[in-house]
Structures are given as structure tokens and as C-alpha cells.
Amino acid sequence: MDDPTVHSSLGKSIAQVYTKEFQKRRLPDVHFLIVLRAADKFSTSQLIDKFVRAEITSSIENLRLHEIVTKCVMHGPCGIDNLGAPCMEEAQCKKMVPKEFRTGTTMNVSIYPLYRRCPNDTTFVGGREMDNRFVVFYNPYLLLKYNAHINVEICTSLRAVKYIYKYIYKGFDCAIMVLSAGIVQYNDIANYIDARYVSASEARWRLLGSHMHDRSHAVMRLPVHLPNQKRVTFKDGHEEEALDIARSRQTMLESWFQLNQSDPDAQTLLNTDIPYNYVHYHNNWKRRKRGGNKIVARMYVLNVKDAERLYLRTLLLHVLGAASFKFVRMLTTSFMTL
């Protein structure tokens, strides 16, 4: 993980997120998304071909890389020749393999590039002849260094972030256990228990207290609410207590108003710029000493039907140093007059 993030093997990394996935049948996987700086982004087909390949390397050109590709990044064999492969479902491969032959890499701005797969390279895997249509995308440097299955792909869509985060929330692996005391009881509920499956590698990982997922940047969500309409969370029977607590504490928005009343530096910043220079601590914004470059500030998204809050959100994206809700309203009146 240090190679692409610290040592810039794929380009200068400015942000990253990863999650680990444990499975029953093999060692754990790491799903890793790296955001490169603008100058290092893969903007041309030639640059993509330099870092990512989907072809069998010639044994004459590089024998070791050829052996690693054949052993680690060939998908299958599957399809008509092997209908019993794990990836087969209703006589089709779930990974959409084999791919199509392509004489050149094509940029695809919506999802992923379509990589070059020339029709003249073949190898034998599991006694079957396979060509470039079965190669999983890889980076030659990482493959040569680690001699392992490392899938590298260029992502140009927000769907990649969704793909990474779904592994955090999809839940743990399960196993079906059959319990009997000599005589089989025909009772599905009594005989079968849906149990959590923890492999040896996952157990070791958790016992050592290692991270299951992590990210380089923290997202700070900034609330948008009207006067006396901030969110209040309460338990049944404790409504009055929750209201008293809500009256005594300030939201991030109210704290920002208070900060602008006393701090001239804050008055030169938008609401969305505050988290980069200040930290919200005990219901107050205090000047940040470090970590501002690891924050991503985002206002809550609002529905157009929630008109008043939507207008307030729009104004907060343009108003500097607002000291109160009244200040924002007065500014709006000034705009209308102009």
C-alpha cells in the first residue's frame, strides 16, 4: 500500500481509501482506491498503456512477468469450456469474461477505460489455451515486485467509491451448521443455524487490532437549518430533556455565526472553508493547528421542495462572515434592491 501512496508508483497520491474483505476460500482481499493529483491523472490512452495492461507478456520480452501473469492474473478458464467454474451463473460468467479483442485502449469517461487486448498472445492455463480476453488488468511493476494477484484499474466514476464502501457495510460471511443428537429432527429452525463464519486470517487480523478500513481524508458535514429548527434527537418520555439540551448547545452553523462576531480572520471565509482553518470543539470553532489538509467539507444536500432551507444553503455558499440569520436576510434584501 505504500508503493502507490508513499512511493508514487502510479503517480502522486493526494487521497486514498481502502477496506479489507475476508473470505472463506482464500486469503483476504484489499480494495484500494487512490486519487492522483491533476498532473498525474491518466488522461490519454498512451499513459494508461504505460501503467495498466490487459495482455499476456511475451516470454521472450520478460520471462518472469510472463510466468506471473499466467499464474496470478488469468481469469478462468470459464465459459462454454468450463461451465462448472465458480464465476458461472446461468451459463454466463458474472465477470463478463471473455472480453473483446481491441487493438488499442479506448478512453471511457463514464466508468472505466476499455483496455488494449491484441488477438495474437496465447498461453495454457489448467490445460486450456487462453488468450488476452481472459487477462485481468494489472500493473507490471507491482506484479513483478510482489508476485501476487494485484488487479489495477483506472477509475473515472464515483461508482468506484461506492464499490469500495459497500464492502464495509455488506456484513460478515455466514455458514450453515447442522445440529443433531443421533436422530435427525425434521425441523428447519432447530436443525439449521445461521452462524457467523470467522476464518483464521480474519481472527488473527481482529485480535491484533488492525484496521478493517481507513481513509486519508475525513468528510465534515455542515448542517443547514432555519432559526429554531435545528435537529433534536430524543427518546420516548424524554422530550423535554432533549429540548433543554438542544437549547443550551449550538450547532456548527450557529457556532459559525458566533465566530464571525469576534474573529476578523473568519469573516473572510465562507462557511464551507471554515473546517479547513478551524476545528469544531465543544460546540465552538477554534483555530486549527494541524490537519486542515485532511478535511473535506460538505453541506447537506437539500430537496428543492424544502425551499427556505435550500435558499439559505445557496446563500451560505456565497456569503462571507455572516454573523446571524438576520445578517443573511439583510444581505438577501440588499441583493433584491440592487
Side-chain angles (χ1 to χ4, degrees):
M1 294 172 67
D2 281 349
D3 269 312
T5 58
V6 179
H7 306 304
S8 304
S9 60
L10 300 174
K12 179 65 176 179
S13 171
I14 59 174
Q16 57 271 343
V17 58
Y18 77 87
T19 183
K20 293 188 70 69
E21 179 193 12
F22 292 91
Q23 300 182 9
K24 304 184 186 76
R25 66 183 184 274
R26 60 185 184 187
L27 292 173
D29 293 339
V30 177
H31 303 270
F32 199 12
L33 180 64
I34 304 164
V35 180
L36 301 177
R37 65 180 178 181
D40 292 336
K41 289 186 181 294
F42 300 99
S43 55
T44 64
S45 300
Q46 292 75 16
L47 196 59
I48 292 176
D49 291 337
K50 180 180 177 181
F51 286 91
V52 181
R53 296 183 188 175
E55 294 180 312
I56 302 168
T57 304
S58 169
S59 58
I60 300 175
E61 176 187 341
N62 192 324
L63 178 59
R64 182 167 182 267
L65 182 58
H66 172 82
E67 293 174 346
I68 296 173
V69 169
T70 303
K71 181 180 67 173
C72 298
V73 293
M74 297 297 294
H75 179 85
C78 65
I80 300 176
D81 296 333
N82 187 13
L83 295 174
C87 61
M88 295 297 291
E89 189 174 89
E90 297 181 358
Q92 289 187 342
C93 175
K94 292 185 292 185
K95 305 297 182 181
M96 306 300 292
V97 175
K99 305 290 186 179
E100 295 181 358
F101 285 123
R102 292 185 178 276
T103 56
T105 299
T106 304
M107 299 293 293
N108 190 334
V109 296
S110 59
I111 307 178
Y112 302 106
L114 302 175
Y115 301 94
R116 182 183 64 196
R117 298 174 184 272
C118 294
N120 52 353
D121 301 321
T122 60
T123 187
F124 283 90
V125 178
R128 291 181 172 85
E129 187 178 19
M130 303 177 70
D131 51 39
N132 287 333
R133 294 177 299 167
F134 295 87
V135 179
V136 178
F137 333 106
Y138 66 90
N139 174 263
Y141 169 77
L142 294 176
L143 220 58
L144 281 168
K145 184 173 183 179
Y146 295 103
N147 189 15
H149 175 83
I150 303 177
N151 176 17
V152 178
E153 190 164 9
I154 309 301
C155 305
T156 57
S157 169
L158 289 176
R159 290 177 58 181
V161 177
K162 185 177 180 181
Y163 164 82
I164 290 288
Y165 276 106
K166 80 174 185 181
Y167 284 96
I168 301 175
Y169 302 107
K170 74 175 186 178
F172 46 78
D173 282 344
C174 295
I176 301 298
M177 300 188 301
V178 182
L179 305 177
S180 61
I183 301 175
V184 177
Q185 302 291 329
Y186 294 99
N187 185 323
D188 288 342
I189 297 177
N191 291 343
Y192 295 92
I193 298 177
D194 187 10
R196 179 177 181 180
Y197 182 92
V198 180
S199 63
S201 58
E202 181 179 1
R204 175 184 176 277
W205 193 263
R206 290 183 179 275
L207 286 171
L208 292 176
S210 302
H211 291 294
M212 296 296 294
H213 52 85
D214 201 2
R215 73 276 188 276
S216 59
H217 290 62
V219 177
M220 178 173 288
R221 303 190 69 181
L222 302 173
V224 179
H225 63 85
L226 298 172
N228 300 320
Q229 292 188 19
K230 55 188 176 184
R231 185 181 297 274
V232 179
T233 304
F234 59 89
K235 294 181 180 179
D236 290 341
H238 298 273
E239 292 83 357
E240 292 296 332
E241 180 181 346
L243 287 173
D244 291 337
I245 295 174
R247 292 190 187 98
S248 62
R249 66 173 178 83
Q250 291 183 324
T251 63
M252 287 185 179
L253 180 58
E254 293 171 332
S255 300
W256 178 59
F257 290 150
Q258 185 177 13
L259 176 68
N260 289 328
Q261 295 173 15
S262 57
D263 192 331
D265 293 335
Q267 295 172 6
T268 63
L269 300 173
L270 294 170
N271 181 250
T272 50
D273 294 331
I274 288 294
Y276 302 109
N277 300 276
Y278 295 80
V279 59
H280 196 252
Y281 183 72
H282 288 310
N283 298 328
N284 289 296
W285 289 104
K286 299 184 181 297
R287 194 175 295 276
R288 184 182 289 277
K289 296 180 180 179
R290 62 183 182 276
N293 60 330
K294 295 296 183 180
I295 295 293
V296 178
R298 289 289 183 269
M299 278 190 181
Y300 279 87
V301 178
L302 298 174
N303 193 300
V304 275
K305 295 182 179 179
D306 192 358
E308 290 298 323
R309 281 209 302 160
L310 179 63
Y311 300 148
L312 174 61
R313 182 184 187 277
T314 304
L315 287 169
L316 292 176
L317 291 172
H318 298 87
V319 174
L320 296 172
S324 63
F325 289 106
K326 183 179 179 180
F327 182 98
V328 179
R329 287 198 302 271
M330 290 173 60
L331 186 64
T332 307
T333 306
S334 301
F335 284 152
M336 293 176 65
T337 304
L338 292 174

